[in-house]
């Protein structure tokens, strides 16, 4: 039976990290909310959240159904899928390290989200633009170098070489690092200009992931939802500061 991915149909969002793993592995899956027909569509997603998965009801998408197993949260889903798809390192120690990196990526994605919704997700971006400018300036100046610097160091310290984050073969962590690189390129083109010089190992990894045959076909297909201003990575020109200037922005 194909895997069933439950996520919102019109955005990449957090669900994209799972899609990348499934697409790279060529695994059969159904993107439930994007499909039509019996048991498909957004109604099917909402039915699961309203108790259709009881007693394993998830809190929010994304979540994955694999037969009778339901797994929620990106890092958990990828920890479940990685070994099945051949996208996990060998050995318990490396798998735990990879899971920790995936959780760190989850933290980073949350901070990206909070650049445009620093007060509340219940408010529109337009209702918190002043706060968003302040939050984004701090994020670009302090948080991005902290996170990406850590990932760059992990790549360079990998005993198997900097082509991968963990071990000597592609894992879900590599795919997720590609996604945050692509997302930052879209959301903050000015602030992220020259990032390939500051984080050359990350840039090389992202380029290599994009060239993987299955992913290259996916990225060029209609299945890859374009970045847009409803997802996690949003491009608001008023938030994007030239590289090195974010810390001096007045709001």
């Amino acid at each position: 039976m194909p895997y069933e991915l439950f996520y919102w149909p019109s955005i990449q969002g957090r669900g994209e990290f799972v899609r990348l793993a499934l697409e790279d592995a060529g695994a059969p899956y159904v993107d439930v909310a994007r499909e039509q027909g019996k048991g498909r569509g957004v109604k099917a997603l909402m039915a699961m959240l309203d108790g259709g998965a009881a007693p394993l009801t998830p809190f929010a998408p994304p979540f994955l159904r694999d037969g009778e197993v339901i797994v929620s949260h990106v890092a958990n889903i990828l920890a479940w899928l990685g070994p099945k798809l051949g996208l996990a390192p060998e050995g318990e120690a490396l798998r735990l390290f990879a899971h920790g990196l995936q959780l760190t990526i989850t933290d980073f994605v949350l901070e990206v989200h909070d650049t445009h919704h620093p007060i509340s997700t219940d408010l529109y971006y337009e209702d918190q633009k002043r706060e968003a400018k302040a939050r984004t300036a701090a994020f670009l100046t302090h948080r991005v170098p902290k996170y990406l610097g850590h990932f760059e160091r992990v790549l360079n310290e990998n005993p198997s070489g900097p082509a991968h984050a963990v071990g000597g073969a592609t894992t879900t962590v590599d795919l997720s690092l590609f996604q945050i690189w692509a997302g930052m390129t879209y959301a903050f083109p000015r602030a992220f200009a020259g990032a390939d010089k500051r984080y050359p190992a990350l840039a090389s990894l992202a380029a290599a992931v994009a060239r993987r045959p299955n992913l290259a076909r996916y990225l060029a297909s209609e299945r890859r939802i374009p970045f847009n201003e409803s997802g996690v990575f949003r491009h608001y020109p008023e938030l994007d500061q030239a590289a090195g200037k974010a810390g001096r922005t007045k709001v």
Side-chain angles (χ1 to χ4, degrees):
M1 293 180 60
Y3 297 104
E4 291 180 298
L5 172 63
F6 292 80
Y7 196 66
W8 308 116
S10 59
I11 60 173
Q12 291 184 20
R14 294 172 177 85
E16 192 68 11
F17 294 92
V18 182
R19 292 188 188 111
L20 289 175
L22 293 166
E23 291 283 351
D24 184 77
Y29 77 100
V30 176
D31 206 336
V32 174
R34 297 179 70 186
E35 300 283 340
Q36 300 300 319
K38 186 177 181 180
R40 297 289 184 259
V42 175
K43 287 185 178 179
L45 187 159
M46 298 306 298
M48 292 284 282
L49 295 175
D50 290 338
L56 303 175
T57 303
F59 176 71
F63 53 94
L64 182 90
R65 182 158 59 188
D66 180 7
E68 295 187 3
V69 175
I70 295 176
V71 191
S72 63
H73 296 280
V74 170
N76 277 341
I77 296 170
L78 295 179
W80 173 260
L81 284 177
K84 292 172 171 283
L85 302 181
L87 290 170
E90 295 291 334
E92 184 178 27
L94 286 184
R95 289 188 182 182
L96 285 172
F97 181 63
H99 188 56
L101 286 173
Q102 197 67 57
L103 289 167
T104 304
I105 291 169
T106 297
D107 291 341
F108 180 76
V109 171
L110 177 60
E111 294 204 30
V112 172
H113 171 272
D114 286 352
T115 61
H116 49 78
H117 277 76
I119 298 177
S120 173
T121 56
D122 294 325
L123 297 174
Y124 290 108
Y125 163 67
E126 289 73 17
D127 298 326
Q128 48 195 318
K129 287 180 70 171
R130 181 179 178 85
E131 293 83 0
K133 287 182 179 181
R135 181 63 177 263
T136 300
F139 171 72
L140 294 174
T141 302
H142 303 294
R143 304 302 288 166
V144 171
K146 186 176 183 69
Y147 278 104
L148 298 194
H150 174 68
F151 297 138
E152 181 80 4
R153 178 178 178 177
V154 165
L155 287 166
N156 287 320
E157 290 181 350
N158 184 356
S160 298
H164 303 289
V166 187
T170 299
T171 68
T172 58
V173 175
D174 297 328
L175 306 181
S176 295
L177 289 174
F178 157 78
Q179 178 64 6
I180 65 173
W181 187 271
M184 289 295 294
T185 301
Y186 171 80
F188 303 107
R190 293 181 67 204
F192 213 55
D196 57 329
K197 305 297 191 299
R198 298 189 292 277
Y199 313 107
L202 265 175
S204 178
L205 171 66
V209 167
R211 291 193 299 266
R212 289 174 64 80
N214 284 350
L215 274 192
R217 284 190 290 271
Y218 168 64
L219 295 174
S221 75
E222 293 183 356
R223 296 193 307 281
R224 170 76 162 181
I225 301 168
F227 287 107
N228 58 60
E229 278 55 70
S230 295
V232 173
F233 293 97
R234 304 185 185 187
H235 177 58
Y236 293 123
E238 63 271 22
L239 299 185
D240 186 20
Q241 307 299 325
K245 299 291 183 65
R248 296 194 291 274
T249 298
K250 293 183 179 180
V251 299

